[in-house]
């Protein structure tokens, strides 16, 4: 398929997971996007952990005649991967494919559709008559980027607004406090007898499973608190629609990364060394030149 319709191809840039179920969910989302835009060349690849690497997806689009590619980072929040690793990888791909032009879209971000999807998942776990006495703990991946961590706090507050849940707290499963047990303990100390835990993740994986396990452990050691696990966002229609909106914005619109509190531009306390640091491509383990260890 060549690019005779003149529209740039769409490249979905995912993170990758050690859990093959997470990679399968990424591909399921890819299929939902393709079904919604049958005339669009759509491929997806990962930064790390899962095949195929982004470079392979770019090769496939180039082989299909793409001259322009709009890349959308399949990240809920813009942290290091969306701000640094993926753009640097696209620069590298541009050097490998001098005939290709790249555009870069925004991370999915703080969106009402995602809040509505989260509401749907939590509502499926908490009966209507119990909602006004159930706390919600929204758990994010956690980042070394304060901007991304603050976005999760914003999401928790936006979810609280206009909904019946009396307490909505945020926590992180890695890299940032409070962790899951601390978040649950905070809800307990605020008087919650019932807590719904929601993982603010697109797909399952090692970390999503950890949130599930830690929630179960907390419930076991605190029998006075009911803990209900409400799952994660998952490959679904609203997410696929949002990906295509980010694609359209990348192609037609005015893309603005939120740079007001970006560690690469602003000296935030404890992160001063990141200001002006060069962006470096993230080598996928399946690529030549890979020296990245976990």
């Amino acid at each position: 398929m060549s690019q005779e319709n003149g529209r740039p191809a769409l490249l979905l840039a995912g993170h990758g997971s050690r859990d093959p179920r997470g990679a399968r969910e990424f591909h399921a989302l890819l299929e939902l996007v393709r079904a919604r835009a049958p005339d669009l060349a759509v491929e997806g690849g990962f930064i790390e952990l899962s095949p195929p690497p982004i470079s392979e997806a770019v090769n496939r689009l180039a082989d299909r005649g793409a001259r322009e590619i709009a890349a959308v980072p399949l990240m809920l929040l813009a942290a290091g991967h969306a701000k640094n690793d993926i753009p640097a990888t696209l620069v590298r791909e541009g050097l490998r494919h001098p005939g290709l032009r790249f555009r870069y879209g925004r991370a999915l971000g703080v969106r009402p559709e995602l809040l509505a999807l989260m509401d749907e998942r939590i509502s499926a776990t908490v009966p209507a008559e119990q909602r006004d006495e159930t706390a919600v703990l929204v758990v994010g991946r956690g980042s070394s980027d304060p901007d991304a961590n603050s976005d999760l706090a914003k999401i928790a507050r936006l979810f609280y607004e206009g909904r019946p849940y009396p307490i909505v707290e945020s926590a992180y499963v890695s890299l940032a406090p409070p962790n899951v047990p601390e978040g649950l303990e905070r809800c307990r100390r605020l008087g919650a007898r019932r807590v719904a835990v929601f993982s603010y993740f697109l797909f399952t994986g090692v970390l999503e499973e950890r949130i599930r396990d830690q929630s179960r452990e907390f419930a076991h050691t605190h029998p006075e608190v009911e803990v209900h696990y409400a799952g994660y966002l998952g490959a679904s229609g609203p997410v696929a629609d949002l990906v295509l909106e980010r694609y359209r914005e990348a192609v037609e619109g005015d893309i603005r990364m939120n740079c007001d509190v970006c560690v690469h531009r602003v000296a935030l306390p404890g992160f001063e060394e990141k200001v002006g640091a060069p962006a470096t491509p993230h080598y996928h383990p399946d690529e030549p030149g890979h020296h990245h260890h976990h």
Side-chain angles (χ1 to χ4, degrees):
M1 179 175 122
S2 72
Q3 210 176 335
E4 65 278 350
N5 61 14
R7 298 174 75 195
L10 168 57
L11 169 67
L12 274 186
H15 180 266
S17 172
R18 288 186 185 84
D19 188 329
R21 293 175 304 161
R24 281 200 296 273
E25 289 175 346
F26 173 90
H27 289 293
L29 181 66
L30 204 59
E31 290 308 319
L32 287 173
V33 172
R34 283 184 176 131
R36 281 164 162 71
D39 59 336
L40 198 59
V42 182
E43 291 290 348
F46 298 102
I47 309 173
E48 57 186 355
L49 303 174
S50 308
I54 286 171
S55 56
E56 198 176 301
V58 171
N59 289 346
R60 279 206 292 269
L61 290 171
D63 291 346
R64 290 167 66 178
R67 292 184 299 282
E68 197 171 350
I69 293 175
V72 173
L74 201 61
M75 313 279 161
L76 286 167
L77 303 173
H81 293 307
K83 291 178 180 179
N84 189 323
D85 304 330
I86 300 172
T89 300
L90 296 178
V91 168
R92 184 190 70 195
E93 291 306 306
L95 295 173
R96 287 179 60 235
H97 299 272
L100 268 180
R101 181 174 173 221
F102 286 88
R103 296 167 181 261
Y104 187 46
R106 287 195 289 163
L108 300 184
V110 181
R111 292 289 297 213
E113 305 94 315
L114 298 177
L115 290 166
L117 190 54
M118 177 171 149
D119 203 1
E120 202 179 295
R121 300 277 184 263
I122 295 170
S123 297
T125 310
V126 183
E129 66 278 5
Q130 291 180 3
R131 287 172 200 161
D132 61 359
E133 51 189 50
T134 300
V136 172
L137 183 66
V138 187
V139 184
R141 183 175 186 270
S143 171
S144 56
D145 188 319
D147 188 21
N149 292 333
S150 72
D151 274 343
L152 189 78
K154 182 173 184 175
I155 285 158
R157 179 68 203 190
L158 284 170
F159 186 79
Y160 168 82
E161 297 283 345
R163 291 184 177 86
Y165 304 97
I167 298 167
V168 181
E169 289 285 313
S170 54
Y172 308 89
V173 69
S174 67
L175 296 170
N179 63 25
V180 177
E182 287 164 352
L184 285 164
E185 175 62 12
R186 187 178 287 186
C187 292
R188 187 188 74 81
R189 289 189 181 200
L190 288 169
R193 293 286 162 266
R194 188 181 291 113
V195 184
V197 177
F198 182 78
S199 295
Y200 200 74
F201 279 63
L202 275 174
F203 308 124
T204 190
V206 174
L207 294 178
E208 187 270 326
E209 198 67 57
R210 188 182 300 165
I211 298 166
R212 203 181 285 264
D213 293 343
Q214 290 178 346
S215 301
R216 204 179 290 122
E217 284 164 26
F218 186 89
H220 181 69
T221 54
H222 298 84
E224 74 281 12
V225 183
E226 272 181 50
V227 181
H228 300 277
Y229 190 72
Y232 52 97
L233 294 163
S236 55
V239 178
D241 291 336
L242 182 50
V243 165
L244 285 167
E245 185 170 327
R246 288 288 181 246
Y247 165 81
R248 282 189 294 273
E249 183 186 62
V251 172
E252 302 157 13
D254 179 17
I255 299 299
R256 290 169 189 254
M257 183 76 80
N258 170 18
C259 296
D260 296 347
V261 283
C262 173
V263 285
H264 299 288
R265 291 172 184 259
V266 182
L268 297 179
F271 298 88
E272 293 85 356
E273 78 290 348
K274 293 202 173 195
V275 175
T280 51
H282 207 89
Y283 278 97
H284 189 282
D286 294 356
E287 291 176 323
H290 164 61
H291 302 296
H292 181 80
H293 296 290
H294 272 262

